[in-house]
Amino acid sequence: MIKLQVKIILWIFIILARFSCGAQIENINSNDLLAFEDFLRSQHLKHALVVRLPQAARQVASYRRLLANYTTQIFTPGKRVQFKELFYYEAPRTALLVDALESDAAKLWVYRAASEAGLFNNSQAWFMLACGQANRTDESIIVEHLAAYNIGIDADITVAIRDMQCGNWPLYDVYRLGQQTALLVEAKGQWSVAAGYRVWPKFSSQSWRRRRSNLANITLIGSTALIEKPPGYDDFSYLSNDRQLLQLDPMQRKTFQLFRLMQTMFNMSLDVRFTDNWGQLQPNGSWSGVMGQVTSGEAHFALCPMRFVLDRQRYVQFSPVLHTQLIHFLFRHPRRSNIRNIFFEPLSTEVWWCVLALVVCCILLLPLHVNLERRQHTLQRQLPAVGGHLTFVWFTILETYLQQGPALELFRLPSTRVLISASCLFSFMLMQFYGAFIVGSLLSDTPRSILTLQALYDSGLAIGMENISYNFALFGNTSNQLVRNVYTQRICRPHPSNILDIRRGAERIRDGGFAFHSAIDRMYRLLVELLDEHQFCELQEIMFNPPYVAGSVLPKSSPWREHLAHAVLHLGEMGLMQYNDRLWTLPKPDCSLSKATQVEVDLEHFAPALFALLLAMLASAVVFLVELLLGWISARRKQQANRVK
Ligand SMILES: *[C@@H]1O[C@H](CO)[C@@H](O)[C@H](O)[C@H]1NC(C)=O
Ligand SMILES: *[C@@H]1O[C@H](CO)[C@@H](O)[C@H](O)[C@H]1NC(C)=O
Ligand SMILES: *[C@@H]1O[C@H](CO)[C@@H](O)[C@H](O)[C@H]1NC(C)=O
Ligand SMILES: *[C@@H]1O[C@H](CO)[C@@H](O)[C@H](O)[C@H]1NC(C)=O
Ligand SMILES: *[C@@H]1O[C@H](CO)[C@@H](O)[C@H](O)[C@H]1NC(C)=O
Ligand SMILES: *[C@@H]1O[C@H](CO)[C@@H](O)[C@H](O)[C@H]1NC(C)=O
Ligand SMILES: *[C@@H]1O[C@H](CO)[C@@H](O)[C@H](O)[C@H]1NC(C)=O
Ligand SMILES: *[C@@H]1O[C@H](CO)[C@@H](O)[C@H](O)[C@H]1NC(C)=O
């Protein structure tokens, strides 16, 4: 077990060949180290390990002296290098020196292990030295020795060919585009003792990703999920169709358009593998669906956006954001959010109580006046039409307040007239205000009041959500008390169930009084067919959680990560991603045109008046029956009394 403090460890493998290009071994080897040091400096590397073979001529101390400025570890393997133990997650970028490219020992102990561990990638900068041969090209030598290994597009391998005659060692860049393609060797620069390590401008000014962006029409495999595909369509033509059926599988089909752009960007072609789900973790630890195809290496990346969730993070890596999904509550906003009866609405509760108090005052005051009136009337021997009892007072006050005006000749006293006049004036003002308000409020579009989750919770609307996994994660796992209340008290109802599929949810939104939590763009596409324009304009969104972002996924340490990340960011920067989003979003009707044109009093608002009338009629009928009964009983009594007599 080798425990390494990786931050301060520089690994250099120096494999000293038993044979060498010339006689002056010591001299050549010091040139090797000079070249390697120049390489380290130009690549800004600080870390290495010396793998010293038993037959190496040089002493450990001389490596240390020559590489004094770098953190050096010397390691003498007796068997294959255990790369898994040497490099682990987030180990710093490390330079490796192989100073005999063609030696059997290097192949046996280093290349094979590195190839199996996948270490010919950008985490390691390999520097290899080989001897030139007069009758062969340098490229053919490199290809002969390295072609067998797992070298990918992100390999960082620099091969220097020792040249005894002129002392200018040519440098080559070695990589491969895809797994089945030929090893590519490109001239990279030159090294000499005098001039040091020089690379051609292309190599100094461009990153490897940019240099290797023409993929020469290799085929990469992408995986995507089609969930709502109608029967009778071919998988690929359905996926790539951006004109029809935009409401089905919009996310996957929208992002596929971006991958089509990437094909031309990188000069590659895509082989699409289809599945029917996004991916679930199976009990045996493997994944199904798109995640399964990506983690098992069947596909190079996902062509559909995958939500960033923690349990996927351990198995795959994500690209930058490819798609943003807005998930809101959507409902038809009721014309009036108040449950309070519209007929009571013009005045607040306190004002109603004040009005009632005033009326009661008048009712109490009037009998005093009436008593006085009666005394006067009797004095003047006029018709005693004025009754002293409460009924008379009650109806008189009612007449006053409902602007009927009691008969004038009944009241002669100025004091009574003042009371009646004041009451009339008061009732006039109240009625004017009340009537105007009712008419005005019915005509005007009241401002929307259900704009927050709290208001939605307090309103009388039924609340539901789409039967989809992220909704359960969102509502089931929140620390917010309000969201939890909404979920447990309003959404989780057995009958009728408020957890519906999106189509059923759209129908209930159409029927009104129902708020539904789902992906907003898909919902709008369904609703635009179900609702007329006026109803569509009543739609109100409530958002309480940030939108979900999703990116493509790749296997861990995939060589295509940089290409995909670059492509996604580039498309975003160029505005093509936003343009594609626009093509896939539903153009909404202009609601400012239909505003305030259709005004009507619907039954919902008029019902209380009808209901009150009905109640009154019932009450009067009951009273009528009671009166009949009483009349009949008293008639019977009278008869019995007569008979007794
Ligand atoms: C190490 O660096 C110092 C200054 O940066 C330099 O003077 C010295 O020559 C270097 N040593 C070697 C062995 O390159
Ligand atoms: C090249 O020359 C070397 C000797 O210098 C010889 O061993 C080798 O077989 C030659 N290779 C070819 C391909 O002719
Ligand atoms: C794409 O790759 C093919 C195959 O190597 C090549 O013939 C073609 O020129 C390349 N296209 C571009 C635009 O580089
Ligand atoms: C690229 O590859 C695809 C399939 O692998 C092939 O159909 C197409 O003709 C190729 N294009 C070029 C320019 O070679
Ligand atoms: C895991 O289980 C699924 C079915 O649940 C099966 O299809 C898959 O082959 C299994 N994978 C492994 C590695 O056993
Ligand atoms: C949600 O959908 C799953 C399958 O897609 C189904 O088994 C489940 O019964 C549904 N739940 C509700 C509440 O409809
Ligand atoms: C809720 O969170 C816990 C840990 O944060 C996690 O184990 C659990 O699976 C989550 N539940 C849902 C429904 O996402
Ligand atoms: C290189 O490969 C190793 C092992 O597969 C991996 O841990 C590392 O992340 C890879 N580095 C890069 C830059 O992909």
Side-chain angles (χ1 to χ4, degrees):
M1 290 295 162
I2 306 164
K3 289 211 171 163
L4 297 172
Q5 296 285 66
V6 175
K7 269 212 160 172
I8 47 157
I9 292 175
L10 161 67
W11 303 101
I12 303 177
F13 295 125
I14 298 183
I15 292 146
L16 292 177
R18 260 172 287 177
F19 59 90
S20 75
C21 308
Q24 310 142 293
I25 294 173
E26 194 57 36
N27 200 2
I28 290 164
N29 282 340
S30 62
N31 273 354
D32 289 353
L33 283 191
L34 285 178
F36 184 52
E37 214 200 321
D38 287 339
F39 173 77
L40 287 173
R41 197 177 305 124
S42 76
Q43 296 250 2
H44 310 290
L45 293 169
K46 291 262 174 274
H47 304 270
L49 160 77
V50 173
V51 179
R52 191 170 156 275
L53 300 184
Q55 60 270 37
R58 201 196 318 264
Q59 297 302 306
V60 169
S62 62
Y63 291 111
R64 291 218 184 278
R65 198 182 61 246
L66 279 163
L67 296 170
N69 283 353
Y70 302 91
T71 325
T72 310
Q73 176 92 11
I74 297 172
F75 179 53
T76 310
K79 49 187 169 47
R80 286 208 323 189
V81 180
Q82 296 298 314
F83 282 110
K84 283 253 157 68
E85 290 172 9
L86 299 183
F87 302 110
Y88 56 87
Y89 183 62
E90 286 197 335
R93 200 167 129 84
T94 305
L96 300 121
L97 173 64
V98 178
D99 77 349
L101 171 81
E102 54 281 80
S103 81
D104 292 333
K107 281 177 195 166
L108 190 63
W109 286 351
V110 183
Y111 301 158
R112 202 179 295 166
S115 177
E116 279 167 16
L119 287 177
F120 286 116
N121 70 7
N122 225 263
S123 297
Q124 281 73 37
W126 295 82
F127 189 67
M128 300 178 177
L129 290 143
C131 297
Q133 287 176 28
N135 55 358
R136 296 179 65 185
T137 61
D138 297 340
E139 283 87 350
S140 70
I141 298 174
I142 294 170
V143 168
E144 180 197 330
H145 295 290
L146 292 181
Y149 303 104
N150 171 19
I151 294 173
I153 191 155
D154 60 342
D156 182 356
I157 301 174
T158 305
V159 178
I161 304 289
R162 296 190 189 91
D163 190 329
M164 290 310 109
Q165 276 79 43
C166 62
N168 266 344
W169 296 3
L171 303 170
Y172 295 93
D173 190 36
V174 182
Y175 66 99
R176 184 185 268 136
L177 289 178
Q179 261 139 27
Q180 263 73 53
T181 58
L183 199 67
L184 296 178
V185 180
E186 279 178 27
K188 179 175 183 179
Q190 263 188 355
W191 178 84
S192 64
V193 181
Y197 184 90
R198 285 165 299 146
V199 293
W200 312 138
K202 179 180 162 193
F203 288 86
S204 56
S205 64
Q206 293 182 351
S207 69
W208 68 267
R209 214 269 327 135
R210 189 174 278 272
R211 274 183 273 127
R212 299 172 191 174
S213 63
N214 187 346
L215 301 185
N217 200 27
I218 62 166
T219 300
L220 295 181
I221 303 167
S223 165
T224 192
L226 295 184
I227 292 157
E228 302 169 322
K229 185 172 80 85
Y233 276 84
D234 165 50
D235 278 343
F236 188 78
S237 50
Y238 168 68
L239 179 68
S240 53
N241 184 339
D242 62 348
R243 294 274 172 274
Q244 290 159 323
L245 297 173
L246 297 191
Q247 73 276 23
L248 300 177
D249 286 325
M251 265 198 299
Q252 302 92 300
R253 292 168 65 209
K254 182 181 92 174
T255 42
F256 181 68
Q257 301 302 324
L258 298 176
F259 282 93
R260 289 176 97 174
L261 295 176
M262 287 180 207
Q263 289 189 21
T264 44
M265 214 166 137
F266 292 130
N267 191 18
M268 55 144 181
S269 25
L270 277 175
D271 179 6
V272 186
R273 303 278 157 91
F274 298 95
T275 95
D276 58 0
N277 73 87
W278 304 98
Q280 297 291 325
L281 193 55
Q282 308 291 326
N284 61 11
S286 67
W287 286 83
S288 61
V290 176
M291 284 291 293
Q293 291 191 336
V294 170
T295 48
S296 69
E298 195 184 324
H300 288 114
F301 40 75
L303 297 178
C304 51
M306 307 287 282
R307 211 153 49 88
F308 296 122
V309 282
L310 279 181
D311 57 347
R312 288 177 182 157
Q313 190 71 52
R314 279 176 49 219
Y315 300 87
V316 290
Q317 54 181 333
F318 285 92
S319 80
V321 173
L322 202 56
H323 171 74
T324 305
Q325 181 83 47
L326 299 174
I327 300 173
H328 294 186
F329 273 116
L330 194 68
F331 55 96
R332 284 175 58 198
H333 197 287
R335 289 269 298 288
R336 236 161 240 90
S337 55
N338 247 333
I339 320 161
R340 235 178 117 198
N341 190 333
I342 180 182
F343 295 102
F344 287 112
E345 199 160 278
L347 305 182
S348 74
T349 319
E350 299 90 69
V351 178
W352 278 120
W353 282 118
C354 291
V355 169
L356 193 67
L358 268 173
V359 174
V360 169
C361 270
C362 290
I363 291 179
L364 293 182
L365 213 53
L366 200 56
L368 302 179
H369 291 268
V370 169
N371 270 343
L372 200 58
E373 292 271 357
R374 194 159 41 179
R375 233 176 279 155
Q376 300 257 334
H377 284 205
T378 24
L379 223 66
Q380 287 161 24
R381 291 241 139 269
Q382 268 179 346
L383 203 71
V386 187
H389 31 73
L390 220 60
T391 335
F392 170 76
V393 173
W394 167 248
F395 278 106
T396 310
I397 289 297
L398 218 57
E399 271 173 353
T400 317
Y401 275 88
L402 297 180
Q403 298 189 316
Q404 303 305 309
L408 257 187
E409 62 274 12
L410 286 183
F411 304 112
R412 296 284 156 89
L413 285 181
S415 63
T416 319
R417 288 184 171 183
V418 166
L419 178 70
I420 298 289
S421 316
S423 296
C424 278
L425 267 178
F426 173 71
S427 109
F428 171 75
M429 290 196 296
L430 188 68
M431 284 298 189
Q432 286 302 310
F433 176 75
Y434 183 85
F437 188 95
I438 293 251
V439 171
S441 73
L442 287 177
L443 283 176
S444 73
D445 212 11
T446 43
R448 293 188 171 182
S449 57
I450 308 180
L451 297 176
T452 60
L453 189 63
Q454 182 70 53
L456 180 65
Y457 179 66
D458 293 338
S459 76
L461 297 176
I463 303 177
M465 69 178 197
E466 189 184 352
N467 181 9
I468 202 165
S469 62
Y470 52 65
N471 271 339
F472 289 98
L474 176 67
F475 284 103
N477 230 359
T478 176
S479 57
N480 184 324
Q481 188 57 43
L482 176 62
V483 177
R484 215 177 314 149
N485 285 348
V486 168
Y487 183 62
T488 53
Q489 293 170 19
R490 308 295 290 277
I491 294 178
C492 291
R493 292 224 162 161
H495 200 78
S497 176
N498 284 342
I499 302 175
L500 309 165
D501 66 60
I502 192 163
R503 213 160 279 281
R504 190 70 200 93
E507 283 162 12
R508 285 199 50 191
I509 290 181
R510 176 195 58 192
D511 299 343
F514 185 65
F516 194 63
H517 194 257
S518 70
I520 217 76
D521 54 341
R522 295 169 58 213
M523 190 45 115
Y524 273 132
R525 279 199 190 275
L526 292 175
L527 286 176
V528 81
E529 288 168 11
L530 290 176
L531 303 183
D532 63 30
E533 191 177 295
H534 176 65
Q535 290 170 327
F536 197 89
C537 288
E538 287 175 358
L539 291 177
Q540 173 69 41
E541 297 171 12
I542 289 182
M543 181 172 177
F544 69 94
N545 57 316
Y548 281 136
V549 287
S552 171
V553 293
L554 308 98
K556 287 265 183 209
S557 69
S558 161
W560 303 108
R561 181 182 61 186
E562 297 278 322
H563 283 81
L564 195 61
H566 169 82
V568 171
L569 295 177
H570 184 72
L571 290 175
E573 195 183 318
M574 294 290 110
L576 286 169
M577 195 182 270
Q578 291 81 340
Y579 174 70
N580 191 46
D581 284 349
R582 273 254 312 273
L583 289 184
W584 284 80
T585 41
L586 183 79
K588 295 200 193 117
D590 183 359
C591 287
S592 61
L593 295 180
S594 71
K595 239 180 209 164
T597 51
Q598 288 185 334
V599 178
E600 58 188 12
V601 183
D602 50 12
L603 190 61
E604 188 190 339
H605 293 111
F606 191 62
L610 293 181
F611 186 67
L613 185 61
L614 193 71
L615 221 59
M617 279 156 68
L618 280 179
S620 79
V622 168
V623 171
F624 175 67
L625 287 180
V626 169
E627 280 171 355
L628 268 186
L629 190 70
L630 287 180
W632 180 75
I633 288 175
S634 63
R636 279 288 293 272
R637 276 220 189 105
K638 245 177 228 166
Q639 268 180 5
Q640 276 174 356
N642 286 346
R643 227 176 274 157
V644 168
K645 271 181 196 170

